[in-house]
Amino acid sequence: MSSKLSTVFAGISMKSPVMSASGTFGFGLEYSDFVPLQALGAVVVKGTTLAPRAGNTGHRIAETPSGMLNSVGLENPGVDEVIKHILPQLVPYETPVIVNISASTVEEYGLLANKLSRAPIAALEINISCPNVKQGGMVFGVEEESAAAVVASVKQNTDKPIITKLSPNVTDIASMARAVEQAGTDAISLINTLQGMVIDIHSWRPVLGNVMGGLSGPAVKPVAVRMVYQVAQAVSVPIIGMGGITTADDAVEFFLAGASAVAVGTANFANPRAILDITQGLEDYLSMKGLDHVSQLVGQVKL
Amino acid sequence: MAKYQEGALILSHEMIAPALRKLVLYAPQMATTATAGQFIHLAVGDDSHLLRRPLSIADADSSRKTLTIIYKIAGKGTKQLATRQKGESIDCMGPLGQAFTLQGEHPLLVGGGIGIAPLLLLAKSLCPRPSEVLMGGRSAEDMIWPALFESICEKLHVTTDDGTAGVKGVNVELLPDLLSKGKFDMIYTCGPKPMMAAVAQLAKEFHIPCQVSLEEYMACGIGACLSCTCAKTNGGRAKICTEGPVFWSTEVFD
Ligand SMILES: Cc1cc2nc3c(=O)[nH]c(=O)nc-3n(C[C@H](O)[C@H](O)[C@H](O)COP(=O)(O)OP(=O)(O)OC[C@H]3O[C@@H](n4cnc5c(N)ncnc54)[C@H](O)[C@@H]3O)c2cc1C
Ligand SMILES: Cc1cc2nc3c(=O)[nH]c(=O)nc-3n(C[C@H](O)[C@H](O)[C@H](O)COP(=O)(O)O)c2cc1C
Ligand code: FES
C-alpha cells in the first residue's frame, strides 16, 4: 500500500483509511478467501454484547431500491467467546481490529469496555445506534445525555481509543456529535442504518420478521454525506464516514465532506473485494488529481 | 475448502418450462471443487439488485469445467438473471456451504418443486448406489425432472397437486408406504419447509438418518452478516450459508 493512503486515525496507524463497517464483514476471517485482510485499513468486527444474543426471528433482510433493510438484532456469541476464541485468530493478519460494542445499560457498556481493554485490539467502537434491539440500542443514540453517559462509562474503563457511532435517526446530528465529543470520545463514526420498512403486497405482511429494519447501501449515501458534513462542522475529533460507499468515487465524497477515514458495509455483499477495489481506486484518484496524500481531501468541499 | 469469486461464462441459458431456466456456466475453479448440496452466490448483473442470489449447484462437471444451475423465476432478481445471454459473464462466488453426506446402500431422495434441483447432482454423486427419488410438483407443466433423473437413479416416484403427471396429491403422502417397505437406509430432502418437516418427522419414526437442505434470504453467503441463521434443536443457532444449507434433520427439526 502506498504512503499516499497511510493514515493515523485517532492514534491508530493504518495502511489505508478504508475499513470494514461493523456487522457486514463478520470477524473479517469469513472474507479471508476473497480479500487479504492485511490490505484493509482496519477490520471493524460484528457488534458484540456482554451475553450471547440469538437475534431476531423471521426474515432478517430485504432488498430495497439501491439498498437493503436488515434486522439481524445483534446476534453474536458474546464478548467472552469473542475475546477467547475469535480475536486471537485475527492477530496474525497484523491489521488493526476495532470491536463494535452494544449494551442495554450504561454499566454494561463499561463492563464490555473493561473486558476488551486487555484484548489485542486497536480501538472500541460504541454502537449507541443500532435500531434492531428493543431495549437500549438506539435509545442511547437519540438522547444526548444518555449517549454522553455511555461514552463516559466506556472511557473510564479503557485506555483504548474510542469511536462513537452515531444514529442518523435523530433531528439534530450536530448536537449529538458535540455531546459525545464533550464526553470524551476520540472519534466519531457515522452513519448507522436509517429505520425503514417493507411490506409484501401479496401476503400484506412486513417482509422482515422484526417488522422494521435498518436501511443501508447506496440509497442512504446522500443522507450520510450530509450528516458527515454537518458533524465535521460541529466537532474537532476525526470522523469515519460510511453509508452506501460502493466505489472510490463515493469514498472521495465522504473525505471532501470531512471524514478522515471511511468504512464499507453493504457493498461487501455485492462484491466481496469491494474494500480492495475502493482502496485501489482511491489511490488512482489521488494520482489523477496530482495529490500526495489522502488527507489533502479531508473537509475540502468548496461552498 | 477454498471459496472463489469468478466471472463465469454463460455457455447456455435455456427455458425448460415456462418459469424454469437452465443455466450452464464455464467456471473452472468452482466446477472442479463443487460437491452435491453446495450453492453459488451470483450477481444477477444490474446495479439495482445489489444483493446476490443463492442458487444450488444442479450439476458440476469437472472435466468440462462447467456448473449447471436450474432456477425458477421467482421475483425481480431471477427475472433479471433470465435476461442474461450466452457469451456473457456472470460474477459468481462459490462453491459455498456444506454438502450432503454420501452414505447408505439404498438412499431415498425426496424433492418438492424447485428443491428438486440440488438432488440432481446428489443422485449422480450417489451412483452406483441404487437410489430412488420421490418428487412432487404443481402440475405436469413444471414436472420436467423425470427425464433428467432417468439415468442417475434406480426408480422414480412422481406426484403432482393436480394429477396431470404421476399420482395426484403431495409427495409426502406416498412416503409412509415407501418407507414401510423398509429398505431405505438414508433419506435426503429439499423443498418447501413444511414438506421437509414432514419428511424429517417420518424419518424419525422409521429410524432412518435424514439430511435436509434449508433456505433463508442471504446477503453475504459466507457467514459474515448473520442474515440467514436458524434455530437448532439444541438451543443454538446456525448460519445456513456456512454450516448449512445441508443439516441432519435432527439438528433443525424437532
Ligand atoms: C442455499 C440456497 C439454494 C437455492 N437454490 C435454488 C435453486 O437451485 N433454484 C432456485 O430456483 N432457487 C433456489 N433458491 C432460492 C432462490 O435463491 C430465490 O428464489 C431467489 O433468490 C429469489 O430471488 P428473486 O429476486 O427472484 O425474488 P425476490 O422475492 O424478488 O427476492 C428478493 C430477495 O429475497 C431473497 N429471496 C427470495 N426468496 C428466497 C428464497 N426462497 N431463498 C433465498 N432467498 C430468497 C432474494 O435473494 C432477494 O434478496 C435457493 C436458495 C438458497 C438459500
Ligand atoms: C447486515 C448488517 C448488520 C449490521 N450490524 C451492525 C452492528 O452490529 N453494529 C453496528 O454498529 N452497525 C451495524 N450495521 C451498520 C453498518 O455498520 C453501517 O453503519 C451501515 O450499514 C451503513 O453503511 P453501508 O451503507 O456501507 O452498509 C449493520 C449493517 C448491516 C447491513
Ligand atoms: S448470508 Fe451472511 S451469514 Fe449467511
Side-chain angles (χ1 to χ4, degrees):
Chain A
M1 210 63 55
S2 84
S3 56
K4 276 188 166 128
L5 295 180
S6 64
T7 298
V8 179
F9 182 89
I12 313 160
S13 298
M14 300 182 181
K15 280 166 232 145
S16 99
V18 188
M19 52 188 96
S20 62
S22 176
T24 65
F25 210 69
F27 290 97
L29 303 160
E30 295 86 344
Y31 274 90
S32 59
D33 275 321
F34 303 97
V35 183
L37 298 180
Q38 304 83 288
L40 270 61
V43 177
V44 184
V45 304
K46 173 70 194 163
T48 300
T49 53
L50 216 45
R53 280 181 59 96
N56 293 322
T57 53
H59 292 315
R60 290 175 169 186
I61 54 164
E63 195 177 58
T64 60
S66 295
M68 66 178 283
L69 287 181
N70 89 82
S71 60
V72 171
L74 281 176
E75 174 170 347
N76 80 95
V79 69
D80 293 333
E81 170 74 11
V82 170
I83 291 173
K84 203 158 162 217
H85 295 298
I86 302 177
L87 296 177
Q89 296 181 58
L90 282 163
V91 173
Y93 292 98
E94 293 180 0
T95 293
V97 174
I98 298 175
V99 176
N100 178 277
I101 56 171
S102 249
S104 43
T105 66
V106 171
E107 295 70 36
E108 265 179 42
Y109 274 105
L111 218 57
L112 271 165
N114 191 282
K115 282 184 181 258
L116 284 158
S117 59
R118 285 172 305 276
I121 61 172
L124 287 174
E125 181 178 55
I126 313 177
N127 179 9
I128 50 166
S129 49
C130 180
N132 295 324
V133 286
K134 286 197 186 72
Q135 245 195 340
M138 208 169 62
V139 230
F140 293 113
V142 296
E143 289 171 14
E144 288 162 34
E145 301 85 78
S146 45
V150 167
V151 174
S153 166
V154 171
K155 188 91 192 158
Q156 272 163 25
N157 282 284
T158 186
D159 296 327
K160 310 249 185 217
I162 56 180
I163 302 160
T164 306
K165 185 162 178 180
L166 300 185
S167 166
N169 302 305
V170 295
T171 41
D172 184 359
I173 193 83
S175 14
M176 184 56 82
R178 275 190 293 263
V180 298
E181 183 182 46
Q182 266 160 32
T185 196
D186 299 291
I188 287 174
S189 58
L190 76 166
I191 60 174
N192 207 314
T193 54
L194 281 153
Q195 260 186 311
M197 179 169 174
V198 185
I199 300 169
D200 180 329
I201 62 154
H202 300 294
S203 65
W204 296 15
R205 292 176 196 282
V207 173
L208 297 178
N210 197 44
V211 183
M212 288 178 280
L215 182 65
S216 63
V220 309
K221 199 191 78 182
V223 177
V225 171
R226 182 265 292 178
M227 289 192 154
V228 166
Y229 172 73
Q230 287 179 309
V231 169
Q233 304 299 306
V235 300
S236 53
V237 291
I239 297 168
I240 305 172
M242 72 190 92
I245 298 176
T246 309
T247 63
D249 293 6
D250 297 334
V252 169
E253 274 192 69
F254 281 83
F255 288 113
L256 293 172
S260 309
V262 294
V264 178
T266 303
N268 295 306
F269 304 150
N271 171 18
R273 294 174 52 87
I275 298 178
L276 278 192
D277 292 352
I278 290 166
T279 308
Q280 183 59 51
L282 197 53
E283 211 175 315
D284 296 345
Y285 176 87
L286 294 173
S287 303
M288 182 184 81
K289 291 286 177 188
L291 297 171
D292 300 325
H293 196 264
V294 62
S295 57
Q296 290 170 288
L297 296 172
V298 177
Q300 294 305 310
V301 58
K302 296 178 185 162
L303 296 180
Chain B
M1 182 90 83
K3 298 167 184 151
Y4 305 97
Q5 180 182 13
E6 79 184 331
L9 183 70
I10 303 178
L11 297 180
S12 70
H13 198 174
E14 43 172 327
M15 185 196 291
I16 52 174
L20 294 184
R21 298 291 182 276
K22 180 175 162 191
L23 178 63
V24 181
L25 300 169
Y26 178 74
Q29 289 173 310
M30 293 187 272
T32 36
T33 51
T35 47
Q38 291 188 294
F39 67 97
I40 60 173
H41 207 30
L42 57 84
V44 298
D46 67 342
D47 285 343
S48 61
H49 298 97
L50 57 113
L51 296 182
R52 290 166 180 264
R53 299 298 192 266
L55 294 169
S56 300
I57 297 166
D59 196 12
D61 185 327
S62 57
S63 57
R64 292 204 183 115
K65 307 205 180 339
T66 60
L67 289 180
T68 301
I69 305 299
I70 297 179
Y71 68 93
K72 183 168 133 186
I73 300 181
K76 298 165 289 166
T78 43
K79 197 167 160 192
Q80 169 62 27
L81 177 61
T83 67
R84 306 296 307 277
Q85 313 254 325
K86 180 176 166 176
E88 293 177 8
S89 141
I90 296 189
D91 179 355
C92 301
M93 290 164 70
L96 305 179
Q98 301 301 322
F100 290 109
T101 307
L102 306 181
Q103 69 171 46
E105 304 285 310
H106 294 282
L108 176 67
L109 286 58
V110 185
I114 192 65
I116 300 167
L119 302 185
L120 273 169
L121 180 56
L122 175 62
K124 190 173 141 187
S125 310
L126 285 166
C127 287
R129 296 177 180 85
S131 65
E132 294 190 25
V133 182
L134 167 61
M135 54 175 73
R138 221 160 279 155
S139 71
E141 194 180 68
D142 37 50
M143 250 311 156
I144 47 91
W145 307 100
L148 304 174
F149 277 94
E150 226 160 42
S151 63
I152 51 175
C153 77
E154 177 93 352
K155 200 167 176 195
L156 274 176
H157 311 268
V158 178
T159 65
T160 50
D161 297 348
D162 62 5
T164 49
V167 178
K168 184 178 163 125
V170 293
N171 56 2
V172 281
E173 289 166 358
L174 302 191
L175 202 53
D177 197 42
L178 276 173
L179 295 181
S180 54
K181 288 181 191 148
K183 62 174 188 173
F184 297 108
D185 53 6
M186 180 64 196
I187 299 173
Y188 303 94
T189 183
C190 185
K193 203 164 181 186
M195 180 208 88
M196 290 194 289
V199 174
Q201 181 60 37
L202 283 162
K204 194 163 145 187
E205 281 167 29
F206 283 85
H207 306 288
I208 304 171
C210 173
Q211 285 191 322
V212 301
S213 178
L214 299 187
E215 269 189 16
E216 187 45 274
Y217 293 3
M218 293 181 178
C220 72
I222 55 174
C225 71
L226 303 172
S227 304
C228 69
T229 67
C230 67
K232 289 202 289 185
T233 45
N234 69 6
R237 310 226 15 121
K239 297 170 190 173
I240 292 177
C241 66
T242 50
E243 293 161 68
V246 174
F247 292 94
W248 290 100
S249 61
T250 50
E251 289 180 287
V252 290
F253 290 109
D254 281 324

